[in-house]
mmCIF file of all heavy atoms in Angstrom:
data_model
loop_
_atom_site.group_PDB
_atom_site.id
_atom_site.type_symbol
_atom_site.label_atom_id
_atom_site.label_comp_id
_atom_site.label_asym_id
_atom_site.label_seq_id
_atom_site.Cartn_x
_atom_site.Cartn_y
_atom_site.Cartn_z
ATOM 1 N N THR A 520 251.605 183.180 111.972
ATOM 2 C CA THR A 520 250.345 183.929 111.991
ATOM 3 C C THR A 520 249.156 183.059 111.619
ATOM 4 O O THR A 520 248.009 183.427 111.878
ATOM 5 C CB THR A 520 250.417 185.136 111.032
ATOM 6 O OG1 THR A 520 250.567 184.658 109.681
ATOM 7 C CG2 THR A 520 251.591 186.029 111.377
ATOM 8 N N LEU A 521 249.409 181.910 110.977
ATOM 9 C CA LEU A 521 248.317 181.019 110.588
ATOM 10 C C LEU A 521 248.042 179.945 111.631
ATOM 11 O O LEU A 521 247.045 179.223 111.531
ATOM 12 C CB LEU A 521 248.642 180.338 109.250
ATOM 13 C CG LEU A 521 248.636 181.231 108.008
ATOM 14 C CD1 LEU A 521 249.040 180.420 106.791
ATOM 15 C CD2 LEU A 521 247.268 181.851 107.796
ATOM 16 N N VAL A 522 248.927 179.798 112.595
ATOM 17 C CA VAL A 522 248.777 178.739 113.592
ATOM 18 C C VAL A 522 248.020 179.273 114.796
ATOM 19 O O VAL A 522 248.546 180.075 115.562
ATOM 20 C CB VAL A 522 250.147 178.198 114.046
ATOM 21 C CG1 VAL A 522 249.960 177.099 115.085
ATOM 22 C CG2 VAL A 522 250.910 177.648 112.864
ATOM 23 N N ASP A 523 246.792 178.883 114.945
ATOM 24 C CA ASP A 523 246.053 179.195 116.164
ATOM 25 C C ASP A 523 245.165 178.001 116.494
ATOM 26 O O ASP A 523 244.706 177.286 115.603
ATOM 27 C CB ASP A 523 245.225 180.474 116.007
ATOM 28 C CG ASP A 523 244.149 180.324 114.954
ATOM 29 O OD1 ASP A 523 243.044 179.895 115.308
ATOM 30 O OD2 ASP A 523 244.420 180.613 113.771
ATOM 31 N N SER A 524 244.977 177.784 117.755
ATOM 32 C CA SER A 524 244.230 176.608 118.197
ATOM 33 C C SER A 524 242.786 176.649 117.725
ATOM 34 O O SER A 524 242.167 175.600 117.499
ATOM 35 C CB SER A 524 244.288 176.499 119.720
ATOM 36 O OG SER A 524 245.618 176.323 120.150
ATOM 37 N N GLU A 525 242.229 177.859 117.579
ATOM 38 C CA GLU A 525 240.832 177.962 117.156
ATOM 39 C C GLU A 525 240.613 177.392 115.757
ATOM 40 O O GLU A 525 239.651 176.665 115.521
ATOM 41 C CB GLU A 525 240.367 179.428 117.191
ATOM 42 C CG GLU A 525 240.100 179.959 118.582
ATOM 43 C CD GLU A 525 241.352 180.501 119.248
ATOM 44 O OE1 GLU A 525 242.463 180.282 118.694
ATOM 45 O OE2 GLU A 525 241.235 181.128 120.312
ATOM 46 N N SER A 526 241.529 177.688 114.814
ATOM 47 C CA SER A 526 241.362 177.160 113.455
ATOM 48 C C SER A 526 241.516 175.648 113.434
ATOM 49 O O SER A 526 240.820 174.952 112.688
ATOM 50 C CB SER A 526 242.366 177.812 112.503
ATOM 51 O OG SER A 526 243.698 177.480 112.846
ATOM 52 N N ARG A 527 242.402 175.117 114.258
ATOM 53 C CA ARG A 527 242.562 173.659 114.339
ATOM 54 C C ARG A 527 241.310 173.017 114.930
ATOM 55 O O ARG A 527 240.843 171.979 114.462
ATOM 56 C CB ARG A 527 243.788 173.320 115.177
ATOM 57 C CG ARG A 527 245.103 173.719 114.502
ATOM 58 C CD ARG A 527 246.213 173.943 115.494
ATOM 59 N NE ARG A 527 246.516 172.758 116.274
ATOM 60 C CZ ARG A 527 247.190 172.779 117.417
ATOM 61 N NH1 ARG A 527 247.618 173.934 117.914
ATOM 62 N NH2 ARG A 527 247.435 171.667 118.073
ATOM 63 N N ALA A 528 240.749 173.653 115.960
ATOM 64 C CA ALA A 528 239.530 173.123 116.568
ATOM 65 C C ALA A 528 238.361 173.174 115.586
ATOM 66 O O ALA A 528 237.556 172.242 115.517
ATOM 67 C CB ALA A 528 239.195 173.904 117.838
ATOM 68 N N GLU A 529 238.265 174.266 114.825
ATOM 69 C CA GLU A 529 237.166 174.398 113.859
ATOM 70 C C GLU A 529 237.272 173.344 112.764
ATOM 71 O O GLU A 529 236.257 172.825 112.293
ATOM 72 C CB GLU A 529 237.170 175.800 113.261
ATOM 73 C CG GLU A 529 236.685 176.868 114.231
ATOM 74 C CD GLU A 529 236.856 178.261 113.685
ATOM 75 O OE1 GLU A 529 237.485 178.404 112.612
ATOM 76 O OE2 GLU A 529 236.359 179.214 114.321
ATOM 77 N N ALA A 530 238.501 173.018 112.328
ATOM 78 C CA ALA A 530 238.682 171.980 111.311
ATOM 79 C C ALA A 530 238.215 170.622 111.843
ATOM 80 O O ALA A 530 237.581 169.840 111.123
ATOM 81 C CB ALA A 530 240.146 171.913 110.888
ATOM 82 N N ARG A 531 238.499 170.352 113.105
ATOM 83 C CA ARG A 531 238.031 169.099 113.715
ATOM 84 C C ARG A 531 236.506 169.082 113.828
ATOM 85 O O ARG A 531 235.852 168.069 113.545
ATOM 86 C CB ARG A 531 238.652 168.941 115.109
ATOM 87 C CG ARG A 531 240.148 168.742 115.107
ATOM 88 C CD ARG A 531 240.665 168.581 116.525
ATOM 89 N NE ARG A 531 242.077 168.244 116.557
ATOM 90 C CZ ARG A 531 242.696 167.717 117.614
ATOM 91 N NH1 ARG A 531 242.003 167.494 118.726
ATOM 92 N NH2 ARG A 531 243.971 167.428 117.575
ATOM 93 N N GLU A 532 235.951 170.201 114.256
ATOM 94 C CA GLU A 532 234.498 170.279 114.414
ATOM 95 C C GLU A 532 233.798 170.079 113.067
ATOM 96 O O GLU A 532 232.770 169.388 112.974
ATOM 97 C CB GLU A 532 234.117 171.631 115.011
ATOM 98 C CG GLU A 532 232.643 171.762 115.382
ATOM 99 C CD GLU A 532 232.318 171.139 116.727
ATOM 100 O OE1 GLU A 532 233.230 170.582 117.380
ATOM 101 O OE2 GLU A 532 231.151 171.207 117.142
ATOM 102 N N ASP A 533 234.364 170.665 112.006
ATOM 103 C CA ASP A 533 233.795 170.499 110.667
ATOM 104 C C ASP A 533 233.775 169.029 110.266
ATOM 105 O O ASP A 533 232.782 168.541 109.710
ATOM 106 C CB ASP A 533 234.600 171.321 109.660
ATOM 107 C CG ASP A 533 234.147 171.088 108.228
ATOM 108 O OD1 ASP A 533 233.007 171.488 107.898
ATOM 109 O OD2 ASP A 533 234.908 170.509 107.434
ATOM 110 N N GLN A 534 234.851 168.318 110.572
ATOM 111 C CA GLN A 534 234.904 166.893 110.229
ATOM 112 C C GLN A 534 233.829 166.104 110.980
ATOM 113 O O GLN A 534 233.134 165.265 110.401
ATOM 114 C CB GLN A 534 236.289 166.343 110.571
ATOM 115 C CG GLN A 534 236.458 164.852 110.339
ATOM 116 C CD GLN A 534 236.499 164.516 108.869
ATOM 117 O OE1 GLN A 534 235.499 164.662 108.164
ATOM 118 N NE2 GLN A 534 237.640 164.083 108.389
ATOM 119 N N LEU A 535 233.693 166.369 112.285
ATOM 120 C CA LEU A 535 232.692 165.643 113.065
ATOM 121 C C LEU A 535 231.276 165.971 112.600
ATOM 122 O O LEU A 535 230.402 165.090 112.564
ATOM 123 C CB LEU A 535 232.848 165.975 114.550
ATOM 124 C CG LEU A 535 234.095 165.416 115.243
ATOM 125 C CD1 LEU A 535 234.097 165.795 116.719
ATOM 126 C CD2 LEU A 535 234.196 163.901 115.091
ATOM 127 N N GLN A 536 231.028 167.214 112.227
ATOM 128 C CA GLN A 536 229.696 167.575 111.750
ATOM 129 C C GLN A 536 229.391 166.903 110.420
ATOM 130 O O GLN A 536 228.249 166.475 110.178
ATOM 131 C CB GLN A 536 229.584 169.095 111.623
ATOM 132 C CG GLN A 536 229.537 169.807 112.960
ATOM 133 C CD GLN A 536 229.514 171.317 112.827
ATOM 134 O OE1 GLN A 536 229.668 171.857 111.730
ATOM 135 N NE2 GLN A 536 229.331 172.014 113.942
ATOM 136 N N ARG A 537 230.409 166.771 109.557
ATOM 137 C CA ARG A 537 230.221 166.054 108.291
ATOM 138 C C ARG A 537 229.878 164.595 108.555
ATOM 139 O O ARG A 537 228.993 164.023 107.916
ATOM 140 C CB ARG A 537 231.487 166.161 107.439
ATOM 141 C CG ARG A 537 231.698 167.526 106.811
ATOM 142 C CD ARG A 537 233.140 167.725 106.370
ATOM 143 N NE ARG A 537 233.553 166.744 105.380
ATOM 144 C CZ ARG A 537 233.370 166.865 104.071
ATOM 145 N NH1 ARG A 537 232.749 167.933 103.591
ATOM 146 N NH2 ARG A 537 233.796 165.940 103.246
ATOM 147 N N LEU A 538 230.560 163.976 109.509
ATOM 148 C CA LEU A 538 230.276 162.581 109.847
ATOM 149 C C LEU A 538 228.938 162.439 110.561
ATOM 150 O O LEU A 538 228.242 161.434 110.400
ATOM 151 C CB LEU A 538 231.411 162.017 110.708
ATOM 152 C CG LEU A 538 232.757 161.861 109.996
ATOM 153 C CD1 LEU A 538 233.836 161.435 110.981
ATOM 154 C CD2 LEU A 538 232.664 160.857 108.857
ATOM 155 N N ASP A 539 228.578 163.448 111.335
ATOM 156 C CA ASP A 539 227.277 163.427 111.994
ATOM 157 C C ASP A 539 226.154 163.450 110.956
ATOM 158 O O ASP A 539 225.157 162.723 111.089
ATOM 159 C CB ASP A 539 227.157 164.641 112.932
ATOM 160 C CG ASP A 539 225.905 164.594 113.784
ATOM 161 O OD1 ASP A 539 225.752 163.648 114.584
ATOM 162 O OD2 ASP A 539 225.069 165.503 113.650
ATOM 163 N N ARG A 540 226.318 164.253 109.905
ATOM 164 C CA ARG A 540 225.331 164.271 108.822
ATOM 165 C C ARG A 540 225.311 162.945 108.074
ATOM 166 O O ARG A 540 224.252 162.466 107.659
ATOM 167 C CB ARG A 540 225.629 165.428 107.865
ATOM 168 C CG ARG A 540 225.412 166.810 108.481
ATOM 169 C CD ARG A 540 225.417 167.904 107.432
ATOM 170 N NE ARG A 540 226.707 168.057 106.783
ATOM 171 C CZ ARG A 540 227.670 168.861 107.223
ATOM 172 N NH1 ARG A 540 227.480 169.588 108.329
ATOM 173 N NH2 ARG A 540 228.814 168.970 106.575
ATOM 174 N N ALA A 541 226.487 162.326 107.921
ATOM 175 C CA ALA A 541 226.540 161.018 107.263
ATOM 176 C C ALA A 541 225.800 159.964 108.084
ATOM 177 O O ALA A 541 225.100 159.105 107.539
ATOM 178 C CB ALA A 541 227.994 160.601 107.055
ATOM 179 N N CYS A 542 225.937 160.045 109.398
ATOM 180 C CA CYS A 542 225.234 159.108 110.280
ATOM 181 C C CYS A 542 223.722 159.292 110.151
ATOM 182 O O CYS A 542 222.967 158.322 110.094
ATOM 183 C CB CYS A 542 225.685 159.303 111.726
ATOM 184 S SG CYS A 542 224.886 158.215 112.933
ATOM 185 N N ALA A 543 223.280 160.554 110.076
ATOM 186 C CA ALA A 543 221.849 160.827 109.957
ATOM 187 C C ALA A 543 221.284 160.300 108.643
ATOM 188 O O ALA A 543 220.118 159.884 108.569
ATOM 189 C CB ALA A 543 221.598 162.333 110.077
ATOM 190 N N ALA A 544 222.128 160.281 107.594
ATOM 191 C CA ALA A 544 221.663 159.815 106.285
ATOM 192 C C ALA A 544 221.775 158.302 106.127
ATOM 193 O O ALA A 544 221.249 157.737 105.168
ATOM 194 C CB ALA A 544 222.475 160.499 105.186
ATOM 195 N N TRP A 545 222.456 157.645 107.074
ATOM 196 C CA TRP A 545 222.698 156.196 107.001
ATOM 197 C C TRP A 545 221.752 155.514 107.990
ATOM 198 O O TRP A 545 221.922 155.598 109.182
ATOM 199 C CB TRP A 545 224.169 155.921 107.349
ATOM 200 C CG TRP A 545 224.534 154.501 107.521
ATOM 201 C CD1 TRP A 545 224.004 153.416 106.908
ATOM 202 C CD2 TRP A 545 225.548 153.990 108.409
ATOM 203 N NE1 TRP A 545 224.620 152.262 107.328
ATOM 204 C CE2 TRP A 545 225.565 152.590 108.251
ATOM 205 C CE3 TRP A 545 226.435 154.591 109.292
ATOM 206 C CZ2 TRP A 545 226.453 151.775 108.965
ATOM 207 C CZ3 TRP A 545 227.312 153.783 109.994
ATOM 208 C CH2 TRP A 545 227.316 152.390 109.832
ATOM 209 N N GLU A 546 220.778 154.817 107.455
ATOM 210 C CA GLU A 546 219.722 154.260 108.313
ATOM 211 C C GLU A 546 220.242 153.220 109.290
ATOM 212 O O GLU A 546 219.638 152.986 110.342
ATOM 213 C CB GLU A 546 218.609 153.657 107.445
ATOM 214 C CG GLU A 546 219.059 152.529 106.538
ATOM 215 C CD GLU A 546 217.962 152.045 105.615
ATOM 216 O OE1 GLU A 546 217.091 152.856 105.240
ATOM 217 O OE2 GLU A 546 217.987 150.856 105.264
ATOM 218 N N ALA A 547 221.376 152.586 108.970
ATOM 219 C CA ALA A 547 221.916 151.566 109.871
ATOM 220 C C ALA A 547 223.019 152.097 110.778
ATOM 221 O O ALA A 547 223.711 151.318 111.432
ATOM 222 C CB ALA A 547 222.449 150.387 109.052
ATOM 223 N N CYS A 548 223.190 153.418 110.831
ATOM 224 C CA CYS A 548 224.218 153.986 111.700
ATOM 225 C C CYS A 548 223.963 153.544 113.146
ATOM 226 O O CYS A 548 222.846 153.715 113.668
ATOM 227 C CB CYS A 548 224.206 155.508 111.607
ATOM 228 S SG CYS A 548 225.436 156.310 112.669
ATOM 229 N N PRO A 549 224.965 152.964 113.821
ATOM 230 C CA PRO A 549 224.745 152.433 115.174
ATOM 231 C C PRO A 549 224.253 153.451 116.190
ATOM 232 O O PRO A 549 223.664 153.074 117.203
ATOM 233 C CB PRO A 549 226.128 151.889 115.561
ATOM 234 C CG PRO A 549 226.790 151.586 114.257
ATOM 235 C CD PRO A 549 226.309 152.655 113.323
ATOM 236 N N VAL A 550 224.507 154.743 115.958
ATOM 237 C CA VAL A 550 224.036 155.771 116.895
ATOM 238 C C VAL A 550 223.052 156.717 116.195
ATOM 239 O O VAL A 550 222.941 157.887 116.554
ATOM 240 C CB VAL A 550 225.217 156.564 117.498
ATOM 241 C CG1 VAL A 550 225.983 155.692 118.480
ATOM 242 C CG2 VAL A 550 226.143 157.100 116.415
ATOM 243 N N ALA A 551 222.343 156.182 115.202
ATOM 244 C CA ALA A 551 221.410 157.014 114.435
ATOM 245 C C ALA A 551 220.298 157.579 115.307
ATOM 246 O O ALA A 551 219.749 158.648 115.009
ATOM 247 C CB ALA A 551 220.805 156.205 113.282
ATOM 248 N N ASP A 552 219.973 156.892 116.407
ATOM 249 C CA ASP A 552 218.857 157.354 117.239
ATOM 250 C C ASP A 552 219.171 158.668 117.947
ATOM 251 O O ASP A 552 218.266 159.461 118.224
ATOM 252 C CB ASP A 552 218.482 156.282 118.267
ATOM 253 C CG ASP A 552 219.664 155.847 119.113
ATOM 254 O OD1 ASP A 552 220.817 155.977 118.635
ATOM 255 O OD2 ASP A 552 219.446 155.364 120.233
ATOM 256 N N ILE A 553 220.451 158.931 118.226
ATOM 257 C CA ILE A 553 220.793 160.185 118.899
ATOM 258 C C ILE A 553 221.760 161.045 118.088
ATOM 259 O O ILE A 553 221.848 162.246 118.323
ATOM 260 C CB ILE A 553 221.385 159.941 120.302
ATOM 261 C CG1 ILE A 553 222.666 159.100 120.215
ATOM 262 C CG2 ILE A 553 220.377 159.286 121.208
ATOM 263 C CD1 ILE A 553 223.387 158.987 121.549
ATOM 264 N N GLY A 554 222.485 160.448 117.135
ATOM 265 C CA GLY A 554 223.448 161.191 116.336
ATOM 266 C C GLY A 554 224.867 161.015 116.842
ATOM 267 O O GLY A 554 225.092 160.686 118.019
ATOM 268 N N LEU A 555 225.820 161.198 115.959
ATOM 269 C CA LEU A 555 227.215 160.966 116.310
ATOM 270 C C LEU A 555 227.720 161.953 117.361
ATOM 271 O O LEU A 555 228.298 161.547 118.381
ATOM 272 C CB LEU A 555 228.096 161.060 115.054
ATOM 273 C CG LEU A 555 229.594 160.878 115.299
ATOM 274 C CD1 LEU A 555 229.886 159.455 115.747
ATOM 275 C CD2 LEU A 555 230.391 161.213 114.048
ATOM 276 N N LEU A 556 227.525 163.238 117.142
ATOM 277 C CA LEU A 556 228.024 164.232 118.091
ATOM 278 C C LEU A 556 227.397 164.078 119.476
ATOM 279 O O LEU A 556 228.114 164.099 120.489
ATOM 280 C CB LEU A 556 227.797 165.637 117.543
ATOM 281 C CG LEU A 556 228.796 166.092 116.470
ATOM 282 C CD1 LEU A 556 228.334 167.376 115.796
ATOM 283 C CD2 LEU A 556 230.176 166.291 117.077
ATOM 284 N N PRO A 557 226.067 163.900 119.574
ATOM 285 C CA PRO A 557 225.498 163.664 120.905
ATOM 286 C C PRO A 557 226.014 162.380 121.547
ATOM 287 O O PRO A 557 226.155 162.310 122.779
ATOM 288 C CB PRO A 557 223.990 163.582 120.629
ATOM 289 C CG PRO A 557 223.789 164.368 119.376
ATOM 290 C CD PRO A 557 225.010 164.100 118.561
ATOM 291 N N ALA A 558 226.299 161.344 120.735
ATOM 292 C CA ALA A 558 226.822 160.092 121.294
ATOM 293 C C ALA A 558 228.208 160.300 121.889
ATOM 294 O O ALA A 558 228.524 159.772 122.967
ATOM 295 C CB ALA A 558 226.865 159.010 120.212
ATOM 296 N N ILE A 559 229.053 161.060 121.201
ATOM 297 C CA ILE A 559 230.385 161.363 121.738
ATOM 298 C C ILE A 559 230.251 162.133 123.051
ATOM 299 O O ILE A 559 230.924 161.828 124.045
ATOM 300 C CB ILE A 559 231.210 162.162 120.712
ATOM 301 C CG1 ILE A 559 231.528 161.296 119.489
ATOM 302 C CG2 ILE A 559 232.502 162.676 121.347
ATOM 303 C CD1 ILE A 559 232.208 162.051 118.362
ATOM 304 N N ALA A 560 229.376 163.136 123.059
ATOM 305 C CA ALA A 560 229.183 163.939 124.263
ATOM 306 C C ALA A 560 228.662 163.089 125.415
ATOM 307 O O ALA A 560 229.104 163.234 126.560
ATOM 308 C CB ALA A 560 228.218 165.087 123.973
#
């Protein structure tokens, strides 16, 4: 009952959003001009 693809996807999305915020706070982030998530997309 706890295994569903949506919860697994949300956990991944949360991780990427956390890293995207880290990139925005890091002035030397290689993709700081567009952000991590937009760069992946």
